[in-house]
Amino acid sequence: MPADDSAAPVLHERRGPAAYVTMNRPRYRNAQNSAMTYALDEAFYRAADDPEVKVIVLAGAGEHFSAGHDIGTPGRDAHLPFERRAGLWWDHSTRTGAESRFARESEVYLGMCRRWRELPKPVIASVQGACVAGGLMLAWVCDLIVASEDAFFADPVVRMGIPGVEYFAHPWAMPPRIAKEFLYTGDRMSARRAYEIGMVNRVVGRESLEAETDRMALRIAEMPGFGLALTKRAVNQAEDLQGLHAGMDSVFGLHHLAHSHNAETAADSLGGMNVAAMKEANG
């Protein structure tokens, strides 16, 4: 896969009944900037609208699925305006402080992830290497996760004084006590452990990841498309009745309280934890 910044941040390809959406910033471990977020939205919309597509695969080019939100690459574009699609909050680039952060993250993080979770076709995450913080959000909006043996999962943002990433699915993706340990320590969870707690559907060798994901996608594609859409909606509704939607709303407020506290008491809204500091802290 190309590693040039001039390359498209997301690639889209259809193979038979499956659409493959691939994050394409491998030089930066597929760190998610706004350009990538909106390119993902476009690719998902295209796949949802294609009557030939029965199932979608989300993957990451290179060694890692995604290292999370872009907090320090040359392509970081948090200050730039984009055409809003996931909500009616105003253009964050024209505001400052908490007003700007809340508007932007309502759109590009919580709003986009909720939009993608409701895509009426099954989505499979194909995960290798790092799936960290914002990368977790991308995996968790998918219906199924196939992981390579070298994949690992982590949400280390408590080091920033922030109670987890914006799309707070932790207590639904894993048992609550495991979620607390996951957040309190910021430690990496192996693919095997993620499988044991039910967060991952299958774990395979890195060399078999693409083939196993393909097999699963083609098996699912044998089912009637409308039946798949209704089944996905049924399970999502059950999760929402268990509090997922309302829980995310409440934690999103806590998340922004933490950002604002950091902005008042630390170097910035991330508590002064830049890429280098986070990397050193998490090993």
Side-chain angles (χ1 to χ4, degrees):
M1 293 292 181
D4 189 336
D5 283 349
S6 64
V10 172
L11 305 177
H12 181 280
E13 175 188 7
R14 185 164 71 79
R15 303 179 208 162
Y20 291 78
V21 175
T22 304
M23 294 176 282
N24 191 39
R25 300 186 75 208
R27 178 182 297 173
Y28 304 112
R29 297 184 170 190
N30 295 315
Q32 182 187 354
N33 59 5
S34 293
M36 175 181 281
T37 300
Y38 284 93
L40 281 171
D41 192 63
E42 181 64 32
F44 285 140
Y45 195 99
R46 178 178 170 186
D49 201 43
D50 186 341
E52 301 300 317
V53 170
K54 299 284 291 294
V55 61
I56 300 161
V57 173
L58 175 63
E63 294 299 307
H64 300 280
F65 178 76
S66 176
H69 296 146
D70 188 344
I71 62 171
T73 83
R76 188 167 189 248
D77 52 12
H79 62 292
L80 297 178
F82 284 81
E83 181 182 358
R84 298 180 300 288
R85 298 179 185 173
L88 294 173
W89 279 91
W90 45 74
D91 177 3
H92 73 281
S93 69
T94 65
R95 312 295 173 105
T96 59
E99 188 176 16
S100 175
R101 286 192 299 273
F102 195 92
R104 178 175 184 268
E105 295 194 0
S106 293
E107 163 79 3
V108 299
Y109 297 151
L110 184 60
M112 284 293 189
C113 284
R114 281 179 166 168
R115 177 181 170 93
W116 301 335
R117 175 178 176 258
E118 296 302 323
L119 195 160
K121 295 180 181 181
V123 184
I124 305 171
S126 184
V127 178
Q128 81 283 8
C131 182
V132 176
L136 281 174
M137 295 165 50
L138 298 179
W140 283 345
V141 300
C142 298
D143 303 292
L144 305 174
I145 300 175
V146 180
S148 63
E149 290 173 345
D150 67 342
F152 62 89
F153 305 84
D155 188 359
V157 301
V158 176
R159 293 191 185 279
M160 299 175 174
I162 297 171
V165 288
E166 295 85 352
Y167 185 82
F168 193 83
H170 307 63
W172 291 270
M174 60 187 82
R177 285 191 175 85
I178 302 298
K180 288 178 181 178
E181 178 185 356
F182 187 68
L183 288 162
Y184 290 171
T185 64
D187 290 344
R188 295 178 177 181
M189 178 183 289
S190 69
R192 184 59 56 185
R193 178 60 170 157
Y195 175 79
E196 290 171 354
I197 65 169
M199 192 174 85
V200 163
N201 295 87
R202 299 191 184 169
V203 178
V204 297
R206 170 69 80 98
E207 71 284 355
S208 303
L209 179 62
E210 184 174 356
E212 183 62 27
T213 305
D214 290 346
R215 277 193 290 271
M216 182 176 282
L218 293 175
R219 176 69 182 90
I220 292 170
E222 295 173 2
M223 295 294 189
F226 191 47
L228 290 169
L230 294 177
T231 302
K232 176 168 182 171
R233 188 166 181 82
V235 177
N236 282 2
Q237 285 176 337
E239 284 189 307
D240 287 339
L241 288 169
Q242 294 166 358
L244 185 147
H245 194 282
M248 283 189 182
D249 279 341
S250 64
V251 178
F252 191 67
L254 298 176
H255 181 99
H256 280 274
L257 171 62
H259 272 317
S260 295
H261 176 74
N262 285 341
E264 288 189 27
T265 63
D268 53 42
S269 65
L270 301 180
M273 295 296 287
N274 58 22
V275 173
M278 289 294 285
K279 185 174 182 181
E280 181 180 357
N282 292 303

